[in-house]
Amino acid sequence: MTKNGNSLDKKTFDKLSRLYIIALSTIALSVIISQILVRNHLDTQKSDSTVINIAGRQRMLSQKLTKEIVSLTVSFDENNRNILTKNIKETLILWNLSHNSLQKGNDSLGLPEKNSGKIKQQFTAINPVFDTIQKAAKYIIKSLEINPLTSIDELSSEIKKITNNEAEFLLIMDKIVNQYDFEADEKVVWLRKLEFSLMVLTLFILLGEFLFIFWPTAKSVNATLLDLLSAEKKAKKMAFDADELSISREKSIKELRALSHAMDETLLFARISSNGNLIHMGNKFSRLFKLSKFKKEVLFWNVLTSNENEEALIEDLIIQHKKTGWQGEIKSTTKEGLDIWLEMSIIPYRLSEDKSELLIIGSEITERKAAQLEIERLTKASFEEKMSQQKIISSKIIENQEKEQNRIAKDVHDGIGQMLTGLKYNLESINLNDIKKTTIKIKHLKELTTNIIKGVRTATFNLTPPELADHGIVPAIGKLTKELGKLTGKEILFFNKTDFNNRLDSLTEINIYRITQEAINNAIKYADSSNIVVSLSHSKSLLSLVIDDDGKGFEPSKVKKVNNGDGGMGMTFMKERIKYIDGRFFLNSELGKGTRVTLNIPIS
């Protein structure tokens, strides 16, 4: 420390050290509090997806129970009756368990005990309907267990209770599912606000640390450097005027020694030659890297780290910036294998016209760097959580799209059916006395009728097929290839090579079906193919679907951005759908050699 007060005195240094410790402690405390708040909130959301899934499943179970009971009215064989009774009993048990667990909680199903007041009110409204259906179903099961061939007339009143109450149960259950979903979304919104508030707090703390700690320290270091440079200039001048300025020279030497001593004890200070040889290293620097003795020709980067890559990086920095100077962060590894982060400045200093040195001034920032890396890790974890939420939202969007397509299929079928009925009445009202006009009108109406019927088949077929929901992906693809072959006149074949007949998750089946449908349509519309072969095979953990055509093919490398999904909406949709079900999509094609689309989907 110098006497003129430009450099850091002990009192100021102690004050800055305390502020530095307080700032780091504040950052650490904010990180800990952030973790506690975020983790506590995430714990409350663990069961949200399970609750929504089981609540939604109640609708399916209700419909399945009603469908199985109604099936009794057309089954008069004792074996079939026994099978239906067993299925109804199993469905009723699962339906009853889920209904009670949603209200009272169930650890094995992962359902919490608590529900909001609004959901409790909705369950209060649905319970009488549930009890009516349950009692009727139990009566039917008991009757069939006593006599499998019990007449339908004896069961008709109970069956009527079930069918009459099913619609009301589904309506209230929809409200319950929507309420669960609404409450889950509210939790997500609250977590997003919490994360934003914590981020603002952290940035505010870092800004305060910069303004009140690092900036004053940097100003003090610059002042110290100016003192050092001024003292060295004075020493040069005194050397040339030794006789006349001997007293001033001795005084300057003492000041320089005092300043050098202060630099050695308070800063990470070193002097090196322009080629990297160590000339002098301060005491604090020496203690940090445990350097007691060194040879005259030792290189600075060999002292600073024992890691070869880090040595090469520091050497490159010094060589590149020995004339211009440099400031930044570097990482070094001690002989004991400890990682140390330094904020280091390289300052060129010319002793004379033909000789120059480099001043190295640094400060240890290992703790601050650790805090910075922790903040980056937390930011990445937050991003992954948001992606998980986005996947849930995408799931709901696709599910709603499929429901909307089912509704459109029904509307189109009913609407065009009415048009066909109208055409029939028009045909019957033709005046047969006017033979010429009648002949023309009948011919026109026949063509119109044929087009409408074909339109009905095409429109309803392109929407969700009943085979997919009732029997699974294999029958659905089988019918898809068969019907498209009839409609287009193409040779479209389907081979189930490994006799796969398992059911998959409904969303997985829907996406596999849509991708296959899109690939076949592309082969028909754009490839000008005559033969299309769809092959399905599976292993224990993988389902593979291959669509081959003998069309004109193309060169994928020459199609603009085809590899990243920008080559067309059809390609984009296929890639998005396969990504959603965690599968992989491969496209191979050559000019004149057809195209192959391969789908690999993981199965359990």
Side-chain angles (χ1 to χ4, degrees):
M1 289 177 283
T2 60
K3 295 180 180 180
N4 59 14
N6 287 333
S7 61
L8 288 171
D9 55 29
K10 187 177 184 305
K11 184 177 180 180
T12 304
F13 183 79
D14 291 342
K15 181 179 179 182
L16 291 175
S17 298
R18 287 194 297 272
L19 289 173
Y20 185 76
I21 293 172
I22 292 172
L24 289 180
S25 300
T26 305
I27 292 175
L29 182 62
S30 68
V31 171
I32 293 171
I33 293 174
S34 301
Q35 279 292 292
I36 292 173
L37 292 174
V38 172
R39 290 183 183 275
N40 286 341
H41 189 75
L42 289 177
D43 287 340
T44 65
Q45 288 188 275
K46 283 182 179 179
S47 61
D48 285 353
S49 60
T50 303
V51 170
I52 294 172
N53 182 46
I54 291 179
R57 189 181 65 182
Q58 282 297 88
R59 297 179 74 261
M60 181 274 292
L61 290 175
S62 172
Q63 293 173 324
K64 184 173 183 290
L65 180 65
T66 304
K67 179 180 178 181
E68 290 170 345
I69 289 175
V70 172
S71 297
L72 292 172
T73 60
V74 295
S75 176
F76 304 101
D77 181 72
E78 182 175 355
N79 290 333
N80 290 339
R81 282 283 186 96
N82 289 333
I83 293 172
L84 282 172
T85 302
K86 181 181 178 182
N87 292 339
I88 293 169
K89 191 173 183 180
E90 291 175 352
T91 303
L92 182 62
I93 291 172
L94 180 58
W95 190 51
N96 182 49
L97 173 63
S98 301
H99 188 79
N100 292 330
S101 298
L102 285 170
Q103 299 178 71
K104 300 177 182 179
N106 188 308
D107 292 337
S108 62
L109 294 178
L111 297 176
E113 296 181 8
K114 296 181 179 179
N115 281 319
S116 66
K118 191 165 185 178
I119 289 177
K120 288 180 180 179
Q121 291 177 0
Q122 292 170 341
F123 270 114
T124 301
I126 202 174
N127 281 336
V129 181
F130 175 84
D131 291 340
T132 301
I133 297 175
Q134 184 187 44
K135 288 178 182 178
K138 285 183 177 179
Y139 177 84
I140 293 171
I141 292 171
K142 184 176 180 181
S143 299
L144 292 174
E145 286 178 341
I146 295 172
N147 180 14
L149 297 177
T150 301
S151 67
I152 297 303
D153 293 336
E154 296 179 24
L155 302 176
S156 61
S157 62
E158 302 302 323
I159 293 174
K160 189 174 182 180
K161 289 180 183 179
I162 293 173
T163 55
N164 288 343
N165 284 276
E166 182 196 10
E168 184 177 359
F169 179 86
L170 293 176
L171 179 63
I172 301 176
M173 202 66 218
D174 273 340
K175 294 180 180 179
I176 293 174
V177 173
N178 292 335
Q179 183 63 26
Y180 275 129
D181 185 58
F182 175 76
E183 292 177 3
D185 289 340
E186 282 189 329
K187 292 179 182 179
V188 173
V189 172
W190 188 90
L191 180 60
R192 187 178 297 113
K193 292 179 179 178
L194 174 63
E195 289 176 341
F196 179 77
S197 300
L198 293 174
M199 180 188 70
V200 172
L201 176 62
T202 303
L203 292 176
F204 180 77
I205 292 172
L206 291 174
L207 178 61
E209 184 178 350
F210 172 78
L211 293 176
F212 298 105
I213 296 176
F214 297 114
W215 180 247
T217 303
K219 290 172 66 176
S220 298
V221 169
N222 287 334
T224 303
L225 288 175
L226 291 174
D227 286 345
L228 176 62
L229 295 174
S230 176
E232 287 186 347
K233 289 180 179 179
K234 290 178 181 179
K236 285 183 179 182
K237 185 176 181 182
M238 291 174 186
F240 289 108
D241 301 327
D243 294 337
E244 300 175 358
L245 302 174
S246 58
I247 298 176
S248 299
R249 184 187 64 180
E250 291 296 328
K251 181 180 179 181
S252 298
I253 290 173
K254 289 180 181 180
E255 290 180 352
L256 180 59
R257 287 176 180 173
L259 183 60
S260 298
H261 178 73
M263 294 283 288
D264 289 346
E265 294 297 328
T266 59
L267 296 173
L268 299 178
F269 171 74
R271 292 167 52 209
I272 62 174
S273 64
S274 58
N275 58 5
N277 287 321
L278 187 60
I279 299 173
H280 170 76
M281 178 173 279
N283 294 334
K284 191 173 182 179
F285 226 152
S286 300
R287 286 194 298 269
L288 181 61
F289 292 94
K290 297 183 179 180
L291 181 68
S292 56
K293 295 180 180 180
F294 57 88
K295 298 179 182 180
K296 291 183 178 180
E297 297 299 322
V298 68
L299 294 172
F300 176 70
W301 42 83
N302 291 335
V303 175
L304 214 59
T305 181
S306 58
N307 184 285
E308 293 182 359
N309 292 332
E310 293 173 356
E311 287 179 359
L313 177 62
I314 297 171
E315 179 183 2
D316 185 61
L317 283 174
I318 291 174
I319 297 301
Q320 286 189 16
H321 302 284
K322 62 183 179 181
K323 292 184 179 180
T324 60
W326 178 84
Q327 184 176 5
E329 297 177 354
I330 64 168
K331 178 178 173 294
S332 63
T333 305
T334 64
K335 296 177 181 178
E336 291 77 17
L338 298 176
D339 293 336
I340 295 177
W341 282 89
L342 301 175
E343 190 172 42
M344 191 174 75
S345 296
I346 302 174
I347 303 173
Y349 173 59
R350 184 173 294 278
L351 294 173
S352 62
E353 293 295 327
D354 56 351
K355 187 177 181 181
S356 62
E357 293 180 357
L358 297 174
L359 300 181
I360 306 297
I361 299 177
S363 58
E364 185 183 359
I365 58 168
T366 304
E367 293 182 356
R368 189 186 78 188
K369 193 66 178 180
Q372 178 184 341
L373 294 175
E374 179 65 9
I375 291 173
E376 292 175 356
R377 185 188 69 78
L378 292 174
T379 302
K380 181 180 179 182
S382 174
F383 175 77
E384 292 174 350
E385 176 66 19
K386 290 179 180 178
M387 291 299 293
S388 177
Q389 294 295 332
Q390 184 61 40
K391 188 172 183 179
I392 294 174
I393 293 171
S394 299
S395 171
K396 294 178 181 177
I397 291 173
I398 292 176
E399 187 175 355
N400 289 335
Q401 288 175 343
E402 295 301 326
K403 290 180 180 178
E404 180 65 12
Q405 287 181 341
N406 287 330
R407 185 189 66 78
I408 293 172
K410 185 176 181 302
D411 292 344
V412 170
H413 188 272
D414 292 344
I416 298 179
Q418 292 175 3
M419 292 175 62
L420 289 174
T421 302
L423 286 176
K424 178 184 175 183
Y425 290 144
N426 286 333
L427 284 170
E428 292 175 351
S429 65
I430 290 175
N431 185 5
L432 297 178
N433 294 326
D434 191 345
I435 301 300
K436 184 176 180 181
K437 289 184 179 180
T438 299
T439 302
I440 296 173
K441 189 172 183 180
I442 290 176
K443 182 179 179 181
H444 173 71
L445 290 176
K446 284 183 178 180
E447 292 176 353
L448 181 58
T449 302
T450 301
N451 291 335
I452 291 176
I453 294 173
K454 186 175 181 180
V456 170
R457 293 184 63 192
T458 302
T460 56
F461 179 73
N462 283 331
L463 299 170
T464 302
E467 287 79 13
L468 186 61
D470 295 339
H471 305 294
I473 189 63
V474 174
I477 293 178
K479 184 170 182 182
L480 173 70
T481 55
K482 183 177 179 181
E483 292 296 325
L484 283 177
K486 290 180 180 180
L487 290 172
T488 63
K490 307 285 186 181
E491 186 73 19
I492 305 176
L493 302 177
F494 172 58
F495 296 102
N496 186 357
K497 294 183 177 180
T498 55
D499 294 327
F500 179 78
N501 60 358
N502 296 338
R503 291 301 303 266
L504 304 176
D505 176 78
S506 61
L507 289 179
T508 301
E509 290 185 337
I510 287 170
N511 281 287
I512 293 174
Y513 182 85
R514 292 302 181 202
I515 297 170
T516 305
Q517 186 181 42
E518 183 69 28
I520 295 175
N521 284 334
N522 286 344
I524 294 171
K525 294 177 182 177
Y526 308 119
D528 194 22
S529 57
S530 300
N531 297 279
I532 302 170
V533 178
V534 181
S535 305
L536 185 145
S537 60
H538 78 289
S539 64
K540 185 177 180 180
S541 60
L542 190 71
L543 178 67
S544 181
L545 194 67
V546 180
I547 301 96
D548 289 304
D549 68 68
D550 62 350
K552 58 187 177 182
F554 62 95
E555 293 185 38
S557 61
K558 293 185 178 180
V559 177
K560 185 178 181 182
K561 299 183 179 179
V562 71
N563 292 327
N564 57 18
D566 293 331
M569 292 304 294
M571 188 71 67
T572 300
F573 288 153
M574 286 193 285
K575 287 179 177 289
E576 287 299 319
R577 285 184 180 273
I578 198 69
K579 180 180 178 182
Y580 172 71
I581 59 176
D582 296 325
R584 300 193 67 188
F585 177 90
F586 302 95
L587 177 66
N588 297 289
S589 183
E590 292 184 35
L591 287 175
K593 295 185 179 180
T595 300
R596 165 171 287 189
V597 175
T598 304
L599 312 177
N600 289 336
I601 303 97
I603 57 176
S604 56

